[in-house]
PDB file of all heavy atoms in Angstrom:
ATOM      1  N   VAL A   1       0.885  -1.193  -0.029  1.00  0.00           N
ATOM      2  CA  VAL A   1       0.014  -0.002  -0.004  1.00  0.00           C
ATOM      3  C   VAL A   1       0.874   1.282   0.041  1.00  0.00           C
ATOM      4  O   VAL A   1       0.614   2.237  -0.719  1.00  0.00           O
ATOM      5  CB  VAL A   1      -0.933   0.012   1.269  1.00  0.00           C
ATOM      6  CG1 VAL A   1      -1.599   1.333   1.352  1.00  0.00           C
ATOM      7  CG2 VAL A   1      -1.959  -1.142   1.094  1.00  0.00           C
ATOM      8  N   LYS A   2       1.996   1.234   0.732  1.00  0.00           N
ATOM      9  CA  LYS A   2       2.902   2.332   0.804  1.00  0.00           C
ATOM     10  C   LYS A   2       3.469   2.618  -0.568  1.00  0.00           C
ATOM     11  O   LYS A   2       3.565   3.753  -1.026  1.00  0.00           O
ATOM     12  CB  LYS A   2       4.002   2.085   1.782  1.00  0.00           C
ATOM     13  CG  LYS A   2       5.043   3.131   1.879  1.00  0.00           C
ATOM     14  CD  LYS A   2       6.171   2.778   2.759  1.00  0.00           C
ATOM     15  CE  LYS A   2       7.285   3.805   2.661  1.00  0.00           C
ATOM     16  NZ  LYS A   2       8.486   3.455   3.394  1.00  0.00           N
ATOM     17  N   GLU A   3       3.848   1.512  -1.324  1.00  0.00           N
ATOM     18  CA  GLU A   3       4.384   1.736  -2.657  1.00  0.00           C
ATOM     19  C   GLU A   3       3.358   2.397  -3.587  1.00  0.00           C
ATOM     20  O   GLU A   3       3.693   3.251  -4.381  1.00  0.00           O
ATOM     21  CB  GLU A   3       4.809   0.336  -3.197  1.00  0.00           C
ATOM     22  CG  GLU A   3       6.051  -0.247  -2.542  1.00  0.00           C
ATOM     23  CD  GLU A   3       6.377  -1.605  -3.089  1.00  0.00           C
ATOM     24  OE1 GLU A   3       5.754  -2.036  -4.099  1.00  0.00           O
ATOM     25  OE2 GLU A   3       7.275  -2.256  -2.492  1.00  0.00           O
ATOM     26  N   ASP A   4       2.071   2.020  -3.466  1.00  0.00           N
ATOM     27  CA  ASP A   4       1.048   2.665  -4.249  1.00  0.00           C
ATOM     28  C   ASP A   4       0.929   4.086  -3.941  1.00  0.00           C
ATOM     29  O   ASP A   4       0.827   4.941  -4.918  1.00  0.00           O
ATOM     30  CB  ASP A   4      -0.321   1.935  -4.014  1.00  0.00           C
ATOM     31  CG  ASP A   4      -0.340   0.551  -4.546  1.00  0.00           C
ATOM     32  OD1 ASP A   4       0.502   0.180  -5.392  1.00  0.00           O
ATOM     33  OD2 ASP A   4      -1.205  -0.266  -4.114  1.00  0.00           O
ATOM     34  N   TYR A   5       0.996   4.447  -2.649  1.00  0.00           N
ATOM     35  CA  TYR A   5       0.845   5.883  -2.271  1.00  0.00           C
ATOM     36  C   TYR A   5       2.119   6.691  -2.769  1.00  0.00           C
ATOM     37  O   TYR A   5       1.902   7.770  -3.161  1.00  0.00           O
ATOM     38  CB  TYR A   5       0.642   6.038  -0.780  1.00  0.00           C
ATOM     39  CG  TYR A   5      -0.754   5.753  -0.337  1.00  0.00           C
ATOM     40  CD1 TYR A   5      -1.023   4.757   0.605  1.00  0.00           C
ATOM     41  CD2 TYR A   5      -1.821   6.496  -0.836  1.00  0.00           C
ATOM     42  CE1 TYR A   5      -2.378   4.530   0.981  1.00  0.00           C
ATOM     43  CE2 TYR A   5      -3.130   6.229  -0.398  1.00  0.00           C
ATOM     44  CZ  TYR A   5      -3.357   5.188   0.402  1.00  0.00           C
ATOM     45  OH  TYR A   5      -4.654   5.012   0.808  1.00  0.00           O
ATOM     46  N   VAL A   6       3.221   6.036  -2.659  1.00  0.00           N
ATOM     47  CA  VAL A   6       4.475   6.752  -3.081  1.00  0.00           C
ATOM     48  C   VAL A   6       4.340   6.998  -4.635  1.00  0.00           C
ATOM     49  O   VAL A   6       4.720   8.124  -5.040  1.00  0.00           O
ATOM     50  CB  VAL A   6       5.722   5.919  -2.775  1.00  0.00           C
ATOM     51  CG1 VAL A   6       7.016   6.478  -3.514  1.00  0.00           C
ATOM     52  CG2 VAL A   6       5.943   5.939  -1.266  1.00  0.00           C
ATOM     53  N   GLU A   7       3.884   6.011  -5.403  1.00  0.00           N
ATOM     54  CA  GLU A   7       3.663   6.238  -6.843  1.00  0.00           C
ATOM     55  C   GLU A   7       2.736   7.406  -7.137  1.00  0.00           C
ATOM     56  O   GLU A   7       2.924   8.147  -8.014  1.00  0.00           O
ATOM     57  CB  GLU A   7       3.227   4.931  -7.443  1.00  0.00           C
ATOM     58  CG  GLU A   7       4.288   3.844  -7.532  1.00  0.00           C
ATOM     59  CD  GLU A   7       3.821   2.579  -8.131  1.00  0.00           C
ATOM     60  OE1 GLU A   7       2.531   2.531  -8.500  1.00  0.00           O
ATOM     61  OE2 GLU A   7       4.525   1.589  -8.094  1.00  0.00           O
ATOM     62  N   LYS A   8       1.586   7.371  -6.374  1.00  0.00           N
ATOM     63  CA  LYS A   8       0.567   8.420  -6.579  1.00  0.00           C
ATOM     64  C   LYS A   8       1.168   9.789  -6.179  1.00  0.00           C
ATOM     65  O   LYS A   8       0.896  10.792  -6.816  1.00  0.00           O
ATOM     66  CB  LYS A   8      -0.663   8.124  -5.723  1.00  0.00           C
ATOM     67  CG  LYS A   8      -1.516   7.000  -6.289  1.00  0.00           C
ATOM     68  CD  LYS A   8      -2.627   6.756  -5.399  1.00  0.00           C
ATOM     69  CE  LYS A   8      -3.422   5.482  -5.894  1.00  0.00           C
ATOM     70  NZ  LYS A   8      -4.548   5.199  -5.000  1.00  0.00           N
ATOM     71  N   MET A   9       2.006   9.816  -5.142  1.00  0.00           N
ATOM     72  CA  MET A   9       2.542  11.099  -4.636  1.00  0.00           C
ATOM     73  C   MET A   9       3.541  11.641  -5.756  1.00  0.00           C
ATOM     74  O   MET A   9       3.585  12.831  -6.090  1.00  0.00           O
ATOM     75  CB  MET A   9       3.356  10.927  -3.391  1.00  0.00           C
ATOM     76  CG  MET A   9       2.446  10.835  -2.171  1.00  0.00           C
ATOM     77  SD  MET A   9       3.231  10.441  -0.643  1.00  0.00           S
ATOM     78  CE  MET A   9       4.681  11.497  -0.665  1.00  0.00           C
ATOM     79  N   GLU A  10       4.316  10.728  -6.387  1.00  0.00           N
ATOM     80  CA  GLU A  10       5.200  11.157  -7.505  1.00  0.00           C
ATOM     81  C   GLU A  10       4.442  11.728  -8.683  1.00  0.00           C
ATOM     82  O   GLU A  10       4.854  12.663  -9.283  1.00  0.00           O
ATOM     83  CB  GLU A  10       6.136   9.948  -7.871  1.00  0.00           C
ATOM     84  CG  GLU A  10       7.130   9.579  -6.853  1.00  0.00           C
ATOM     85  CD  GLU A  10       7.880   8.318  -7.113  1.00  0.00           C
ATOM     86  OE1 GLU A  10       7.526   7.653  -8.148  1.00  0.00           O
ATOM     87  OE2 GLU A  10       8.763   7.923  -6.345  1.00  0.00           O
ATOM     88  N   GLU A  11       3.363  11.013  -9.026  1.00  0.00           N
ATOM     89  CA  GLU A  11       2.582  11.436 -10.082  1.00  0.00           C
ATOM     90  C   GLU A  11       1.931  12.791  -9.877  1.00  0.00           C
ATOM     91  O   GLU A  11       1.922  13.686 -10.670  1.00  0.00           O
ATOM     92  CB  GLU A  11       1.412  10.459 -10.373  1.00  0.00           C
ATOM     93  CG  GLU A  11       0.559  10.808 -11.573  1.00  0.00           C
ATOM     94  CD  GLU A  11      -0.543   9.731 -11.717  1.00  0.00           C
ATOM     95  OE1 GLU A  11      -0.306   8.507 -11.477  1.00  0.00           O
ATOM     96  OE2 GLU A  11      -1.680  10.179 -12.147  1.00  0.00           O
ATOM     97  N   VAL A  12       1.459  13.003  -8.633  1.00  0.00           N
ATOM     98  CA  VAL A  12       0.841  14.268  -8.249  1.00  0.00           C
ATOM     99  C   VAL A  12       1.931  15.394  -8.264  1.00  0.00           C
ATOM    100  O   VAL A  12       1.648  16.527  -8.734  1.00  0.00           O
ATOM    101  CB  VAL A  12       0.169  14.218  -6.901  1.00  0.00           C
ATOM    102  CG1 VAL A  12      -0.171  15.589  -6.330  1.00  0.00           C
ATOM    103  CG2 VAL A  12      -1.096  13.388  -7.026  1.00  0.00           C
ATOM    104  N   GLU A  13       3.075  15.099  -7.777  1.00  0.00           N
ATOM    105  CA  GLU A  13       4.220  16.106  -7.758  1.00  0.00           C
ATOM    106  C   GLU A  13       4.576  16.477  -9.175  1.00  0.00           C
ATOM    107  O   GLU A  13       4.871  17.611  -9.488  1.00  0.00           O
ATOM    108  CB  GLU A  13       5.395  15.541  -7.015  1.00  0.00           C
ATOM    109  CG  GLU A  13       6.489  16.527  -6.794  1.00  0.00           C
ATOM    110  CD  GLU A  13       6.135  17.651  -5.975  1.00  0.00           C
ATOM    111  OE1 GLU A  13       5.277  17.557  -5.089  1.00  0.00           O
ATOM    112  OE2 GLU A  13       6.800  18.753  -6.146  1.00  0.00           O
ATOM    113  N   LYS A  14       4.630  15.475 -10.084  1.00  0.00           N
ATOM    114  CA  LYS A  14       4.982  15.694 -11.479  1.00  0.00           C
ATOM    115  C   LYS A  14       3.902  16.650 -12.091  1.00  0.00           C
ATOM    116  O   LYS A  14       4.272  17.587 -12.809  1.00  0.00           O
ATOM    117  CB  LYS A  14       5.061  14.431 -12.249  1.00  0.00           C
ATOM    118  CG  LYS A  14       5.425  14.551 -13.658  1.00  0.00           C
ATOM    119  CD  LYS A  14       5.436  13.298 -14.386  1.00  0.00           C
ATOM    120  CE  LYS A  14       4.056  12.963 -14.757  1.00  0.00           C
ATOM    121  NZ  LYS A  14       3.784  11.878 -15.595  1.00  0.00           N
ATOM    122  N   ASP A  15       2.574  16.297 -11.830  1.00  0.00           N
ATOM    123  CA  ASP A  15       1.532  17.170 -12.374  1.00  0.00           C
ATOM    124  C   ASP A  15       1.618  18.534 -11.766  1.00  0.00           C
ATOM    125  O   ASP A  15       1.311  19.538 -12.513  1.00  0.00           O
ATOM    126  CB  ASP A  15       0.155  16.500 -12.043  1.00  0.00           C
ATOM    127  CG  ASP A  15      -0.143  15.297 -12.865  1.00  0.00           C
ATOM    128  OD1 ASP A  15       0.648  15.047 -13.873  1.00  0.00           O
ATOM    129  OD2 ASP A  15      -1.053  14.494 -12.484  1.00  0.00           O
ATOM    130  N   ARG A  16       1.867  18.685 -10.521  1.00  0.00           N
ATOM    131  CA  ARG A  16       1.978  19.968  -9.881  1.00  0.00           C
ATOM    132  C   ARG A  16       3.051  20.808 -10.489  1.00  0.00           C
ATOM    133  O   ARG A  16       2.876  22.025 -10.761  1.00  0.00           O
ATOM    134  CB  ARG A  16       2.253  19.789  -8.408  1.00  0.00           C
ATOM    135  CG  ARG A  16       2.293  21.043  -7.565  1.00  0.00           C
ATOM    136  CD  ARG A  16       2.580  20.738  -6.112  1.00  0.00           C
ATOM    137  NE  ARG A  16       3.165  21.783  -5.397  1.00  0.00           N
ATOM    138  CZ  ARG A  16       4.437  22.198  -5.517  1.00  0.00           C
ATOM    139  NH1 ARG A  16       5.300  21.641  -6.332  1.00  0.00           N
ATOM    140  NH2 ARG A  16       4.895  23.286  -4.830  1.00  0.00           N
ATOM    141  N   LYS A  17       4.235  20.223 -10.757  1.00  0.00           N
ATOM    142  CA  LYS A  17       5.275  20.896 -11.342  1.00  0.00           C
ATOM    143  C   LYS A  17       4.884  21.414 -12.726  1.00  0.00           C
ATOM    144  O   LYS A  17       5.248  22.582 -13.155  1.00  0.00           O
ATOM    145  CB  LYS A  17       6.526  20.137 -11.418  1.00  0.00           C
ATOM    146  CG  LYS A  17       7.261  20.062 -10.050  1.00  0.00           C
ATOM    147  CD  LYS A  17       8.571  19.185 -10.137  1.00  0.00           C
ATOM    148  CE  LYS A  17       9.146  18.989  -8.756  1.00  0.00           C
ATOM    149  NZ  LYS A  17      10.357  18.201  -8.800  1.00  0.00           N
ATOM    150  N   ALA A  18       4.194  20.551 -13.524  1.00  0.00           N
ATOM    151  CA  ALA A  18       3.809  20.924 -14.854  1.00  0.00           C
ATOM    152  C   ALA A  18       2.771  22.026 -14.831  1.00  0.00           C
ATOM    153  O   ALA A  18       2.831  22.952 -15.688  1.00  0.00           O
ATOM    154  CB  ALA A  18       3.211  19.710 -15.628  1.00  0.00           C
ATOM    155  N   LEU A  19       1.823  22.013 -13.876  1.00  0.00           N
ATOM    156  CA  LEU A  19       0.814  23.030 -13.771  1.00  0.00           C
ATOM    157  C   LEU A  19       1.397  24.361 -13.334  1.00  0.00           C
ATOM    158  O   LEU A  19       0.987  25.414 -13.878  1.00  0.00           O
ATOM    159  CB  LEU A  19      -0.300  22.626 -12.755  1.00  0.00           C
ATOM    160  CG  LEU A  19      -1.260  21.550 -13.240  1.00  0.00           C
ATOM    161  CD1 LEU A  19      -2.205  21.120 -12.092  1.00  0.00           C
ATOM    162  CD2 LEU A  19      -2.047  22.048 -14.413  1.00  0.00           C
ATOM    163  N   MET A  20       2.272  24.374 -12.442  1.00  0.00           N
ATOM    164  CA  MET A  20       2.868  25.657 -11.962  1.00  0.00           C
ATOM    165  C   MET A  20       3.768  26.306 -12.971  1.00  0.00           C
ATOM    166  O   MET A  20       3.957  27.496 -12.918  1.00  0.00           O
ATOM    167  CB  MET A  20       3.618  25.369 -10.659  1.00  0.00           C
ATOM    168  CG  MET A  20       2.751  24.954  -9.466  1.00  0.00           C
ATOM    169  SD  MET A  20       1.508  26.188  -9.154  1.00  0.00           S
ATOM    170  CE  MET A  20       0.237  25.216  -8.355  1.00  0.00           C
ATOM    171  N   GLY A  21       4.209  25.570 -13.894  1.00  0.00           N
ATOM    172  CA  GLY A  21       5.075  26.145 -14.938  1.00  0.00           C
ATOM    173  C   GLY A  21       4.322  26.597 -16.171  1.00  0.00           C
ATOM    174  O   GLY A  21       4.888  27.388 -16.950  1.00  0.00           O
ATOM    175  N   ASN A  22       3.074  26.284 -16.292  1.00  0.00           N
ATOM    176  CA  ASN A  22       2.288  26.641 -17.526  1.00  0.00           C
ATOM    177  C   ASN A  22       0.924  27.276 -17.077  1.00  0.00           C
ATOM    178  O   ASN A  22       0.106  26.517 -16.554  1.00  0.00           O
ATOM    179  CB  ASN A  22       2.176  25.412 -18.394  1.00  0.00           C
ATOM    180  CG  ASN A  22       1.558  25.713 -19.742  1.00  0.00           C
ATOM    181  OD1 ASN A  22       1.008  26.808 -19.945  1.00  0.00           O
ATOM    182  ND2 ASN A  22       1.619  24.756 -20.651  1.00  0.00           N
ATOM    183  N   THR A  23       0.750  28.556 -17.323  1.00  0.00           N
ATOM    184  CA  THR A  23      -0.520  29.182 -16.909  1.00  0.00           C
ATOM    185  C   THR A  23      -1.719  28.651 -17.734  1.00  0.00           C
ATOM    186  O   THR A  23      -2.794  28.609 -17.203  1.00  0.00           O
ATOM    187  CB  THR A  23      -0.394  30.714 -17.038  1.00  0.00           C
ATOM    188  OG1 THR A  23      -0.058  31.033 -18.361  1.00  0.00           O
ATOM    189  CG2 THR A  23       0.684  31.260 -16.012  1.00  0.00           C
ATOM    190  N   ASP A  24      -1.551  28.369 -18.996  1.00  0.00           N
ATOM    191  CA  ASP A  24      -2.626  27.885 -19.798  1.00  0.00           C
ATOM    192  C   ASP A  24      -3.136  26.548 -19.259  1.00  0.00           C
ATOM    193  O   ASP A  24      -4.265  26.249 -19.129  1.00  0.00           O
ATOM    194  CB  ASP A  24      -2.201  27.741 -21.298  1.00  0.00           C
ATOM    195  CG  ASP A  24      -1.985  29.101 -21.887  1.00  0.00           C
ATOM    196  OD1 ASP A  24      -2.528  30.111 -21.481  1.00  0.00           O
ATOM    197  OD2 ASP A  24      -1.203  29.095 -22.904  1.00  0.00           O
ATOM    198  N   LEU A  25      -2.142  25.706 -18.967  1.00  0.00           N
ATOM    199  CA  LEU A  25      -2.489  24.338 -18.431  1.00  0.00           C
ATOM    200  C   LEU A  25      -3.127  24.483 -16.983  1.00  0.00           C
ATOM    201  O   LEU A  25      -4.088  23.719 -16.652  1.00  0.00           O
ATOM    202  CB  LEU A  25      -1.213  23.473 -18.275  1.00  0.00           C
ATOM    203  CG  LEU A  25      -1.400  21.990 -18.100  1.00  0.00           C
ATOM    204  CD1 LEU A  25      -2.190  21.400 -19.200  1.00  0.00           C
ATOM    205  CD2 LEU A  25      -0.031  21.314 -18.046  1.00  0.00           C
TER     206      LEU A  25
END
């Protein structure tokens, strides 16, 4: 379960970085 949550956290962090860098997105 921890591995699943770590994967989800990495995905969310990646999306967050993409969103914060692009105002249109």
Side-chain angles (χ1 to χ4, degrees):
V1 170
K2 178 186 172 187
E3 289 176 11
D4 292 340
Y5 281 121
V6 168
E7 289 174 5
K8 288 179 185 178
M9 285 172 46
E10 289 171 356
E11 182 181 326
V12 167
E13 186 64 27
K14 184 183 78 170
D15 290 344
R16 183 182 157 284
K17 286 180 182 179
L19 284 174
M20 294 301 157
N22 188 347
T23 56
D24 293 333
L25 196 58

